[in-house]
Amino acid sequence: MHNQKVALVTGANKGIGLQIAKELAARGFTVLVGSRDLGRGEAAAKTIAGDARALALDVTDAKSIAAAAEQIQNELGRLDVLVNNAAIAQVATPSMSFANTSFEEMLKAKRPSVGSVAEVRAVFETNVFGVIAVTQAMLPLLREAPAARIVNVSSEVGSLTKQTDPSYPYRSIQSISYVPSKTALNAITVAFANELETTHIKVNAACPGFTATDLNNFRGTRSVQEGAREPVRLALLGPDGPTGTFSNDDGAIPW
Ligand code: NAP
């Protein structure tokens, strides 16, 4: 068995996931840089100081998930941390991409009254079903680890408490796909945490805050270093840390 702790970060070839990978590698983890395109994962792994290795992983592809779990078992024999970070906010098409559509126009097209059901399905496939499938595939390895941690990278916009508060500033993001996908991810976090509460595996959800990445065409106001802070803290929780929580780097977020 590999003698360093091993962390898998999904969608780690760029953005907040790459920063989470960098920080876990800096703390001595062997980091698996999950990437649906192996070449992009390898390029990203080269930018990480420490032991970082690209791992082909498309969270919407059952074969890819099974192959990734098998590869981890065969090559390292352990997994201590799983960060479910990969997500999409939309399905880019030639007519609807940041190359030719403003952020505001993109948001308008996702309103509940007009958002495409096909896009809702695609977003849930990645942000929700992908998390369930990857977590289930990695659980046998995580159960063997002495103190495993699962971090689901969620978003405050998925908070029903926030969304029903008229003073919530991000209530203007009325996406019928991304926003409900994060509400579902929160529910999934609680479901896994409840089932695993008698084990040594802690399962928590983190919001990175509005961070400048490809996801929002770099409109976010926080750096990836700031965005990675809470997911990394939850990945490193000690034995007295909580499970089944939702937080950002200011503290608890209401569900
Ligand atoms: P990003 O820069 O767009 O990165 C998203 C990552 O997910 C990319 O590596 C992407 O890979 C990967 N991905 C997408 N679909 C995938 C699939 N099917 N299989 C595997 N990987 C896939 O976005 P980000 O802002 O860093 O987002 C990271 C997390 O933070 C997400 O969960 C997001 O919802 C959450 N978040 C972000 C913000 C924000 O303001 N940025 C706010 C709240 C929450 P490709 O390069 O192949 O597309």
Side-chain angles (χ1 to χ4, degrees):
M1 191 205 284
H2 194 62
N3 57 11
Q4 300 294 113
K5 281 188 173 185
V6 177
L8 166 60
V9 184
T10 67
N13 55 286
K14 66 181 183 184
I16 297 163
L18 174 56
Q19 185 62 29
I20 294 169
K22 284 181 179 172
E23 296 192 19
L24 293 178
R27 285 166 172 82
F29 280 80
T30 289
V31 177
L32 300 171
V33 178
S35 177
R36 57 181 158 176
D37 179 285
L38 186 60
R40 286 203 293 270
E42 284 168 346
K46 284 193 187 126
T47 71
I48 299 175
D51 188 5
R53 309 169 186 201
L55 180 73
L57 176 55
D58 181 335
V59 304
T60 64
D61 179 340
K63 280 190 188 149
S64 169
I65 295 169
E70 197 181 330
Q71 193 178 337
I72 299 170
Q73 175 67 64
N74 292 344
E75 292 180 9
L76 299 165
R78 71 184 287 177
L79 184 66
D80 300 271
V81 166
L82 168 63
V83 183
N84 286 307
N85 166 79
I88 57 171
Q90 65 261 319
V91 179
T93 61
S95 62
M96 194 51 81
S97 70
F98 283 131
N100 53 22
T101 315
S102 71
F103 186 56
E104 287 70 21
E105 286 301 315
M106 285 280 230
L107 287 181
K108 264 191 183 172
K110 291 170 204 330
R111 283 172 300 170
S113 55
V114 293
S116 127
V117 175
E119 181 166 87
V120 177
R121 285 205 180 94
V123 169
F124 269 66
E125 201 60 58
T126 304
N127 300 9
V128 181
F129 308 135
V131 173
I132 300 172
V134 171
T135 304
Q136 288 180 347
M138 300 303 161
L139 263 179
L141 281 157
L142 292 166
R143 285 184 192 277
E144 294 297 314
R149 305 289 176 254
I150 299 171
V151 182
N152 293 335
V153 183
S154 186
S155 173
E156 189 188 74
V157 298
S159 161
L160 293 176
T161 308
K162 293 277 181 187
Q163 288 290 353
T164 49
D165 174 356
S167 68
Y168 181 52
Y170 294 119
R171 211 177 175 208
S172 57
I173 301 179
Q174 294 168 342
S175 160
I176 191 61
S177 45
Y178 181 78
V179 169
S181 80
K182 293 301 186 180
T183 310
L185 178 60
N186 289 348
I188 282 159
T189 304
V190 171
F192 273 105
N194 287 352
E195 185 186 342
L196 297 171
E197 71 186 344
T198 56
T199 73
H200 51 267
I201 305 174
K202 297 182 190 298
V203 189
N204 293 289
C207 173
F210 192 38
T211 305
T213 67
D214 272 337
L215 195 83
N216 49 42
N217 206 18
F218 295 88
R219 293 286 289 271
T221 49
R222 286 162 66 87
S223 66
V224 288
Q225 287 80 4
E226 290 170 312
R229 203 179 285 154
E230 188 63 4
V232 169
R233 185 186 75 81
L234 291 172
L236 300 175
L237 281 178
D240 296 332
T243 189
T245 67
F246 179 31
S247 56
N248 61 21
D249 55 9
D250 277 339
I253 303 173
W255 295 106

